[in-house]
Amino acid sequence: MEGRNGRLEDVDKRSDERCARLEGHVQDLTDKNISLEARNAALYGGILGEVPEVRVPQVHRDLSTRRLLTLGWLEGEKLLAFKGAEEETRNRLASAMFRAWWYPMSHYAVIHGDPHPGNYTVFRDAAGAPGGINLLDYGCIRIFPPSFAAGVV
């Protein structure tokens, strides 16, 4: 069967290679008595680490357990505070939200299943302008088989 970007087997192989690169971000968490949400946050940190308009809080492994997740602090303002902002700002934030949701799905077959305004805050860049979003809450993450994601993409 052919996908848009070639054979599904090739898409599966590329997805497997990408996922292999993420193992370092989550491997030490799987060996510890740490929550699934902490592993999901670490996974997203690896996936979105090179997407500058999306920030993911760092997992503090030494302060986290199966029942307590401790994440690094990310400065940010409520997303809905920008509802009346200029169109350029709203477009920048919408683009960042889309990247936070679509990039993991299209490249790693991983989706954040709880995209409501309370799970995002807006960070400001060095000049003080809204620079992008902080993605919060990793309790509802779904990992699909690469072949499923290839069919969606």
Side-chain angles (χ1 to χ4, degrees):
M1 176 181 251
E2 291 280 315
R4 281 181 37 183
N5 296 322
R7 295 171 36 109
L8 283 179
E9 294 82 13
D10 294 338
V11 173
D12 283 349
K13 183 179 180 195
R14 286 192 304 270
S15 293
D16 289 344
E17 290 167 357
R18 288 182 187 123
C19 290
R21 287 191 299 241
L22 292 175
E23 284 183 11
H25 292 282
V26 294
Q27 182 58 44
D28 59 338
L29 293 175
T30 58
D31 296 337
K32 290 179 134 185
N33 190 20
I34 205 115
S35 73
L36 177 60
E37 189 167 359
R39 286 181 286 214
N40 289 340
L43 176 66
Y44 264 75
I47 290 172
L48 295 170
E50 295 181 17
V51 179
E53 65 269 22
V54 181
R55 294 182 180 170
V56 174
Q58 178 185 0
V59 176
H60 289 280
R61 296 165 181 88
D62 56 329
L63 300 174
S64 297
T65 67
R66 275 191 164 291
R67 297 181 62 191
L68 175 69
L69 172 59
T70 306
L71 299 172
W73 182 261
L74 296 175
E75 286 293 329
E77 301 168 48
K78 291 182 179 183
L79 179 64
L80 291 179
F82 294 87
K83 196 165 71 170
E86 294 179 14
E87 184 176 4
E88 180 182 341
T89 298
R90 292 192 322 265
N91 286 343
R92 184 180 320 116
L93 297 176
S95 176
M97 290 176 64
F98 181 78
R99 294 270 326 255
W101 182 80
W102 182 246
Y103 183 83
M105 179 63 177
S106 63
H107 288 76
Y108 296 94
V110 177
I111 194 164
H112 190 286
D114 195 10
H116 69 78
N119 285 338
Y120 303 98
T121 59
V122 176
F123 69 84
R124 293 190 177 268
D125 62 20
I133 62 159
N134 299 316
L135 180 60
L136 312 171
D137 193 350
Y138 299 89
C140 186
I141 303 298
R142 173 86 188 257
I143 300 173
F144 293 98
S147 59
F148 174 84
V152 172
V153 175

